[in-house]
Amino acid sequence: MHESKSSGAKNIELALGSTLSRRSFLKILMMTGAAAALPSTGLLRSFSQEGPAFGRATFAGLGAYQTFRNACPRNCYDTCGIVSYVKDGVLEFVEGEPTSTYTDGGLCVKGYAYPRTVYSPDRIKYPMRQIGRGSGNWERISWEEALDAISGKILEIKEKDGSLLGMALTKYSGNFGITHYGVEGMLSSLGYTTRFVGTPCWPAGIDAQNYDMGNMWCNDPEDMVQAKYIIVWGANPAYCSVHSLKYIYEAKKRGAKVVVIDPVLTQTAVKGDEYWQVKPGSDGALALAMSRHLIDQGLVNRDWAAANGLGYDEYEAYIKANVTVEWGAEQAGLPVDVVKRVAEEFAAADPATIWIGYGMQRHVNGGVNVRAIDALVAMTGNVGKPGGGARYGHLFTWGFNYNAMVQAAPEGSVGYTGATGPKGEFDTGQGADATASYTDRTFNINKIGQEILDAQDPPVRLLWIANKNVVSQDFDKNKIVKAFEKVEMIVAVDLFFNPTVEQADIVLPTVTPFEDWTVNVSYWHYWLHLNEQAIKPLFETKSDIEIASALSAVLNAKQPGSCTFPQNIDAKEMMIKEFNDGIYQLFGITSWEDLRKGAAKAKLPSSASWSDLKFATPSGKYEFKSEIAQTNGHTALPEYKAGREAYAPLRLLTPHAKHGLHSQFQNLDWMHDLNPEPLVYVHPQTAGAKGIVDGDTVRVFNPTGEVRLKAQLTNNVPADTLLMYEAWFSAKNTFNVNLLVDDVSSDMGAYKTGSPGVAIHDQFADIEKVAA
């Protein structure tokens, strides 16, 4: 007997099987200027012939849809609010949240592709077990079978080692929804384990701003409209923060000058009034040279430095004794007169601001370079001003309860007895059983391959991977794959069969943001977004906290008291428990339900960070000279530090792509129409010397590894530089920039994030033409 399917079930099948959907997607991107952050009132109308989630659906009029509030939880400045349109249980359309003046009704190219993420035929639908790692020989198993195997391994490790330090977690930024910190909570609820701590993204800059100001705290990006002078230094918001561009445009309209400093002529650079193509890693020397010129010309705001700074006189003495404008300009590859002129313009503007990008601190001298730029902003009196500031990021709106994360270890748990391990990037200091003498064992997240290879007493026996594509995104892929061979069981929680899943024993299918309840804030802007469950989870997918709850139930059935994570949870109730009076007060709401009406913005006394000029440093002042920095092995002053010595003929840069975010989005078939294959960008002069013409297949290689791909010739990159954008394209495409990126550390990061960063842009390689 066959039951008829509901219209919703039929529509879901249609969505999953569609071959026409990308046509509408391309149409909409053309209409919106390839995802410029514009109000999207025309967005829905453009689907009058066919919807983006499934080709043969027609737009039924706004009244036919349920609408839900969602948020993009990916590792991005913009953390966009989303309005989702659902009909018969199917997510048909998305648009930007209109109640947020930051999102302002528009999404980026990636955001508009979200329906395809939900209904991609490539999604992992069920728990799967691989017979032979990397073999591709997958078999479907039930949740009961998967959790039985995992729980059995956990208990085996506990009995064998007397602790669970042989179980390790590596997790990062695949989903920054607050309830997803329940992954850490799951590990805490099992006992003391091994954690990979730190961040590959921005740690050197975090430490730098903590040394200088006592915390990382940026102005509201919306107040850039008040700036009279903007330097975008090592950031590419045209790719990575499209919603911020409108504030730069408005500032320009009001008369501000925009200078872009970057080794690559980016889409952001061409929108500036002036572009400086600097040598990578020379940023500190350039900032010092600009500072020297201000000193020489009497343009330092000495009143500000005297009233609000500590150690300025010593800093000035260092610069006079060690820095000349000519030297700094030569280090950066810029004309001396240009450096002098822009330094003068910056000092004369009131207010003036610098956006410090994350790329420029991904060097062996990245942290001290940020300190030199911070000092340039401070010595011109631009810290604490609306429209001013050294803009890097903040965590001031992240004060949730972390209810899902804070779980107690089971009674009698045994852990690490060495020195207390460092905190993770967003560790609130409320970890499990904080008064116990035991701790988790901590490893450097940026050296996962080496840490696993070196781990002993016990080795890493079980590795849990969540919200992270390790093999694509972590450094020295070959070393990582070799290290994984040492691990007895690898469990990956993911949406797609990516390169990390290929190396797993068991994969657990997880939900998209539209199938989950959580709440999101940004590390850049000051808006709060609710993420409602817009559609029911497809197939057998579960959220991170639902997986933790299910595992807890199985473990406690086998060994009562072995796991403290709640065994019966409601995802919505878990989300509600993350709120507190402090969050309500900060955002001017009385209940989380207020967010169903739209986004809320933090109620701060000023759009400017440090507006009261009371810094969080030991002295309470801006510290040009930091004793904490010196104690931690750095120079007390932001002195010059040389970059990494080249070990191959050409520098290799691997920045963020336009059509993907790390290893997300680019794998979708819709994105393949826009960006079908990876390329290496080569200057014509370099290509000519190597006998390479546009479209040739080339081999890019260094001591870490090699990749083969097509070359595209461009004057946008320097002659001594190769450029390829990081991305995971598909299971059929083995391209991976981290075959060429080693795990050499940046100078800072350990102070506040637990581990130093990675010198991602201090990499070098060679190139040669090969047969196609």
Side-chain angles (χ1 to χ4, degrees):
M1 179 178 179
H2 299 282
E3 297 180 358
S4 62
K5 294 180 179 177
S6 67
S7 61
K10 289 179 180 177
N11 283 341
I12 291 173
E13 286 187 353
L14 188 61
L16 289 163
S18 168
T19 58
L20 300 177
S21 57
R22 65 179 74 176
R23 196 175 302 162
S24 292
F25 178 61
L26 293 171
K27 184 191 303 181
I28 205 57
L29 292 181
M30 287 188 288
M31 292 185 64
T32 59
L38 300 173
S40 57
T41 52
L43 176 60
L44 263 62
R45 299 191 193 108
S46 70
F47 292 115
S48 58
Q49 299 301 316
E50 54 187 26
F54 43 96
R56 292 173 290 280
T58 57
F59 178 56
L62 288 176
Y65 296 92
Q66 290 180 283
T67 58
F68 297 88
R69 250 75 203 201
N70 291 101
C72 180
R74 310 310 181 197
N75 187 356
C76 174
Y77 285 100
D78 289 8
T79 311
C80 294
I82 298 172
V83 179
S84 304
Y85 291 82
V86 174
K87 184 173 179 289
D88 295 327
V90 175
L91 173 67
E92 293 197 8
F93 314 114
V94 295
E95 66 177 353
E97 173 59 72
T99 64
S100 162
T101 53
Y102 186 82
T103 302
D104 198 27
L107 298 173
C108 72
V109 61
K110 301 175 285 291
Y112 284 129
Y114 259 126
R116 192 54 172 172
T117 299
V118 176
Y119 297 113
S120 169
D122 298 325
R123 271 190 75 176
I124 300 172
K125 302 173 177 66
Y126 317 103
M128 304 285 282
R129 176 167 51 205
Q130 186 169 205
I131 311 303
R133 250 182 239 165
S135 68
N137 184 17
W138 290 95
E139 63 176 10
R140 178 181 173 180
I141 58 176
S142 66
W143 273 101
E144 290 76 15
E145 289 174 294
L147 296 175
D148 178 67
I150 296 167
S151 61
K153 188 64 179 178
I154 291 171
L155 295 176
E156 174 193 310
I157 293 170
K158 194 173 183 179
E159 181 176 358
K160 184 172 186 176
D161 296 333
S163 75
L164 277 178
L165 294 176
M167 181 177 181
L169 170 66
T170 185
K171 168 186 176 282
Y172 195 54
S173 62
N175 193 318
F176 271 152
I178 298 301
T179 56
H180 288 264
Y181 290 98
V183 179
E184 288 91 335
M186 181 187 74
L187 271 285
S188 294
S189 73
L190 296 170
Y192 299 102
T193 59
T194 293
R195 311 291 181 93
F196 286 90
V197 303
T199 161
C201 292
W202 56 343
I206 291 176
D207 275 13
Q209 294 218 318
N210 273 271
Y211 292 140
D212 295 336
M213 292 170 274
N215 210 330
M216 172 186 65
W217 186 12
C218 63
N219 280 34
D220 182 347
E222 298 182 49
D223 88 350
M224 274 193 286
V225 299
Q226 301 179 53
K228 302 303 182 185
Y229 208 94
I230 300 172
I231 298 179
V232 182
W233 202 322
N236 185 14
Y239 276 19
C240 302
S241 184
V242 295
H243 294 82
S244 294
L245 281 177
K246 58 181 173 287
Y247 305 115
I248 295 176
Y249 293 157
E250 178 61 25
K252 286 184 67 174
K253 184 179 177 181
R254 298 181 185 185
K257 182 173 181 177
V258 177
V259 176
V260 180
I261 302 175
D262 201 293
V264 179
L265 182 62
T266 63
Q267 283 194 359
T268 300
V270 300
K271 299 176 190 301
D273 297 298
E274 188 166 336
Y275 166 60
W276 290 1
Q277 189 169 61
V278 295
K279 295 179 182 178
S282 67
D283 311 277
L286 177 57
L288 289 168
M290 294 172 72
S291 299
R292 174 61 194 260
H293 187 62
L294 298 183
I295 293 167
D296 291 345
Q297 298 301 308
L299 296 175
V300 174
N301 190 330
R302 295 185 180 279
D303 290 341
W304 192 98
N308 305 297
L310 175 73
Y312 174 74
D313 290 343
E314 291 167 86
Y315 184 51
E316 180 174 304
Y318 164 77
I319 291 175
K320 285 181 174 179
N322 296 278
V323 176
T324 65
V325 181
E326 292 73 18
W327 166 82
E330 182 182 7
Q331 291 290 315
L334 297 170
V336 173
D337 61 333
V338 170
V339 174
K340 290 181 177 180
R341 173 177 52 78
V342 168
E344 292 174 14
E345 292 172 354
F346 185 82
D350 186 15
T353 188
I354 298 179
W355 181 342
I356 303 172
Y358 302 145
M360 63 136 295
Q361 51 92 59
R362 293 170 182 162
H363 293 272
V364 296
N365 56 359
V368 73
N369 289 351
V370 172
R371 289 200 68 201
I373 296 171
D374 285 349
L376 176 62
V377 178
M379 64 197 294
T380 54
N382 278 297
V383 175
K385 286 184 178 180
R391 300 168 189 262
Y392 190 71
H394 78 92
L395 295 175
F396 275 74
T397 54
W398 291 71
F400 295 89
N401 289 331
Y402 296 93
N403 173 74
M405 184 181 79
V406 180
Q407 305 293 332
E411 186 176 348
S413 294
V414 175
Y416 186 58
T417 56
T420 301
K423 296 180 179 180
E425 180 182 6
F426 295 118
D427 191 338
T428 62
Q430 304 176 78
D433 203 3
T435 61
S437 58
Y438 294 119
T439 66
D440 293 318
R441 179 174 63 172
T442 56
F443 288 162
N444 185 342
I445 197 172
N446 296 318
K447 293 181 179 289
I448 184 170
Q450 195 62 52
E451 294 279 33
I452 291 174
L453 289 171
D454 293 343
Q456 299 180 37
D457 302 323
V460 174
R461 304 186 190 277
L462 169 58
L463 180 63
W464 191 283
I465 304 171
N467 297 292
K468 188 181 183 188
N469 182 358
V470 177
V471 177
S472 286
Q473 295 306 128
D474 283 4
F475 312 103
D476 196 340
K477 175 193 171 182
N478 290 329
K479 184 188 291 186
I480 291 170
V481 173
K482 179 182 178 182
F484 277 11
E485 295 173 359
K486 186 181 173 184
V487 182
E488 296 167 15
M489 177 183 280
I490 297 175
V491 178
V493 181
D494 221 305
L495 289 165
F496 297 102
F497 283 99
N498 58 41
T500 298
V501 174
E502 289 174 7
Q503 299 298 320
D505 299 291
I506 294 175
V507 62
L508 304 178
T510 195
V511 295
T512 65
F514 305 93
E515 301 158 292
D516 193 17
W517 283 93
T518 194
V519 60
N520 293 86
V521 286
S522 169
Y523 52 72
W524 180 242
H525 64 68
Y526 285 84
W527 287 89
L528 168 66
H529 294 288
L530 178 68
N531 189 85
E532 298 179 282
Q533 187 183 75
I535 58 174
K536 295 295 183 183
L538 295 181
F539 310 108
E540 294 183 11
T541 58
K542 294 181 185 293
S543 70
D544 284 320
I545 57 174
E546 289 170 335
I547 292 170
S549 178
L551 179 60
S552 180
V554 173
L555 277 165
N556 281 293
K558 289 184 175 182
Q559 187 179 99
S562 58
C563 182
T564 65
F565 202 91
Q567 296 177 44
N568 296 293
I569 66 164
D570 178 273
K572 181 179 176 182
E573 290 300 317
M574 291 289 281
M575 182 273 294
I576 294 171
K577 290 179 180 178
E578 298 294 0
F579 288 87
N580 54 51
D581 289 342
I583 288 290
Y584 290 148
Q585 183 176 355
L586 177 62
F587 288 96
I589 57 177
T590 58
S591 166
W592 69 271
E593 292 190 270
D594 292 346
L595 298 171
R596 286 182 148 170
K597 303 171 187 175
K601 189 175 183 181
K603 311 296 182 183
L604 299 174
S606 171
S607 66
S609 57
W610 312 112
S611 60
D612 61 0
L613 299 177
K614 295 178 181 177
F615 296 93
T617 55
S619 66
K621 296 178 178 291
Y622 180 97
E623 296 196 353
F624 293 94
K625 180 180 181 180
S626 168
E627 291 185 4
I628 296 177
Q630 188 170 40
T631 299
N632 289 342
H634 311 293
T635 55
L637 300 169
E639 299 177 12
Y640 172 73
K641 182 176 181 179
R644 188 180 187 185
E645 186 175 343
Y647 55 84
L650 302 168
R651 184 179 290 272
L652 175 66
L653 300 177
T654 56
H656 298 329
K658 179 178 183 178
H659 300 99
L661 205 167
H662 300 306
S663 66
Q664 295 170 315
F665 297 105
Q666 179 59 66
N667 63 297
L668 301 174
D669 50 3
W670 289 5
M671 291 300 188
H672 292 171
D673 286 342
L674 298 170
N675 188 40
E677 62 181 335
L679 299 167
V680 57
Y681 296 88
V682 190
H683 192 279
Q685 176 183 320
T686 305
K690 298 281 188 177
I692 297 168
V693 299
D694 205 58
D696 276 349
T697 298
V698 297
R699 171 178 173 253
V700 181
F701 59 97
N702 64 17
T704 305
E706 68 173 68
V707 298
R708 298 186 180 218
L709 70 172
K710 289 182 181 178
Q712 182 166 313
L713 275 54
T714 176
N715 288 307
N716 292 350
V717 299
D720 63 352
T721 299
L722 301 173
L723 170 71
M724 56 179 72
Y725 290 103
E726 53 145 353
W728 172 57
F729 277 77
S730 71
K732 297 178 182 178
N733 191 320
T734 60
F735 171 74
N736 187 334
V737 298
N738 287 313
L739 285 163
L740 296 164
V741 178
D742 64 26
D743 59 5
V744 167
S745 296
S746 57
D747 56 339
M748 295 182 188
Y751 172 44
K752 284 296 179 179
T753 76
S755 297
V758 185
I760 298 171
H761 296 319
D762 276 339
Q763 307 294 323
F764 302 88
D766 203 349
I767 187 171
E768 64 182 12
K769 181 178 178 178
V770 297

